[in-house]
Amino acid sequence: MSAVSFDLSVWALPAGATPDQVRAAVQRCREGRHVQQHPDPRLVGFYRAITAAYPDRPAGPGTPWEVAPLHTACDHIEMNLVPTCEDQVLLDIERLAAEHDLMLFDAQDGTVYPPPTRVTP
């Protein structure tokens, strides 16, 4: 049995978006239904930052990416990480998602993490 990738995606949805809305957007993507528009600037900033630290074009030796280049769309970026991905990569993804006000979707269990600025006490 071979190890499988660890999949995360970041989503640029409007303020107030709920985890259920993120899951619905993920489902539309899986069904091949994508909106045609310019990429959200938050995603552009996230992509530039994450690929500056962990290039995907080309993905060199020791890359955390199981699939490269990363899947990018106007409202999300999907990241398929190698099973042996270092914790620091995950911490960097979480930090950058928060810095760019993006929702983080964990494909393994369907958990959605809103940016800290969107979490209300």
Side-chain angles (χ1 to χ4, degrees):
M1 178 180 236
S2 65
V4 296
S5 67
F6 180 77
D7 304 330
L8 295 171
S9 55
V10 291
W11 291 81
L13 297 179
T18 66
D20 285 340
Q21 289 171 312
V22 174
R23 290 184 197 97
V26 169
Q27 186 60 38
R28 285 190 299 275
C29 175
R30 289 179 178 163
E31 293 170 356
R33 296 186 289 146
H34 294 96
V35 177
Q36 297 300 319
Q37 63 188 37
H38 293 290
D40 188 290
R42 296 173 291 171
L43 286 171
V44 173
F46 174 89
Y47 179 82
R48 287 179 178 158
I50 198 68
T51 58
Y54 309 103
D56 71 333
R57 297 174 191 250
T63 182
W65 312 125
E66 179 80 16
V67 176
L70 303 181
H71 167 79
T72 59
C74 64
D75 60 353
H76 71 281
I77 297 172
E78 183 177 316
M79 297 160 283
N80 308 104
L81 298 134
V82 296
T84 57
C85 177
E86 294 183 20
D87 288 343
Q88 186 60 51
V89 177
L90 302 175
L91 293 171
D92 289 341
I93 290 170
E94 290 176 9
R95 177 181 53 80
L96 290 170
E99 285 177 13
H100 293 278
D101 196 30
L102 301 170
M103 306 283 276
L104 182 63
F105 176 78
D106 182 336
Q108 284 61 232
D109 63 7
T111 302
V112 176
Y113 302 93
T117 57
R118 290 196 193 171
V119 176
T120 56

Coordinates of all heavy atoms in Angstrom, one line a residue, residues 14 19 29 35 57 62 72-73 85 94 114:
P14 N -16.4 35.6 0.0 CA -16.8 36.9 0.6 C -16.8 36.8 2.2 O -17.0 35.8 2.7 CB -18.2 37.2 0.1 CG -18.3 36.4 -1.1 CD -17.5 35.2 -0.9
P19 N -18.5 27.8 6.7 CA -17.9 26.5 6.3 C -18.8 25.7 5.3 O -18.2 25.1 4.4 CB -17.8 25.7 7.6 CG -17.6 26.8 8.7 CD -18.5 27.9 8.2
C29 N -16.3 22.7 -7.6 CA -15.0 22.5 -8.2 C -14.8 21.0 -8.6 O -14.4 20.7 -9.7 CB -13.9 22.9 -7.3 SG -12.2 22.6 -8.0
V35 N -16.2 29.2 -12.0 CA -16.6 30.6 -12.5 C -15.5 31.1 -13.3 O -14.3 31.0 -12.9 CB -16.9 31.5 -11.2 CG1 -17.2 32.9 -11.6 CG2 -18.0 30.9 -10.4
R57 N 7.1 25.5 -9.9 CA 7.4 25.6 -11.3 C 8.9 26.0 -11.5 O 9.2 27.1 -11.5 CB 6.6 26.7 -12.0 CG 5.1 26.4 -11.9 CD 4.4 27.7 -12.5 NE 3.0 27.5 -12.2 CZ 2.1 27.3 -13.2 NH1 2.4 27.2 -14.4 NH2 0.8 27.2 -12.8
G62 N 13.0 17.6 -2.8 CA 12.6 18.0 -1.4 C 11.3 18.8 -1.4 O 10.9 19.3 -0.4
T72 N -4.7 26.1 -9.6 CA -5.1 27.5 -9.3 C -6.4 27.8 -10.1 O -6.5 27.4 -11.2 CB -4.1 28.5 -9.6 OG1 -3.7 28.5 -10.9 CG2 -2.8 28.3 -8.7
A73 N -7.3 28.5 -9.4 CA -8.5 29.0 -10.0 C -8.8 30.4 -9.5 O -8.0 30.9 -8.7 CB -9.7 28.0 -9.7
C85 N 5.3 15.5 4.2 CA 5.5 16.9 4.3 C 5.8 17.4 5.7 O 5.2 16.9 6.7 CB 4.1 17.6 3.9 SG 4.1 19.3 4.0
E94 N -1.0 27.7 6.8 CA -2.0 28.2 7.7 C -1.8 29.7 7.9 O -2.7 30.5 7.9 CB -2.0 27.5 9.1 CG -2.5 26.1 9.0 CD -2.4 25.4 10.3 OE1 -2.0 26.0 11.3 OE2 -2.6 24.2 10.3
P114 N -11.7 29.2 9.2 CA -11.7 30.6 8.8 C -10.5 31.3 9.3 O -9.8 30.9 10.2 CB -13.0 31.1 9.4 CG -13.1 30.3 10.6 CD -12.6 28.9 10.3

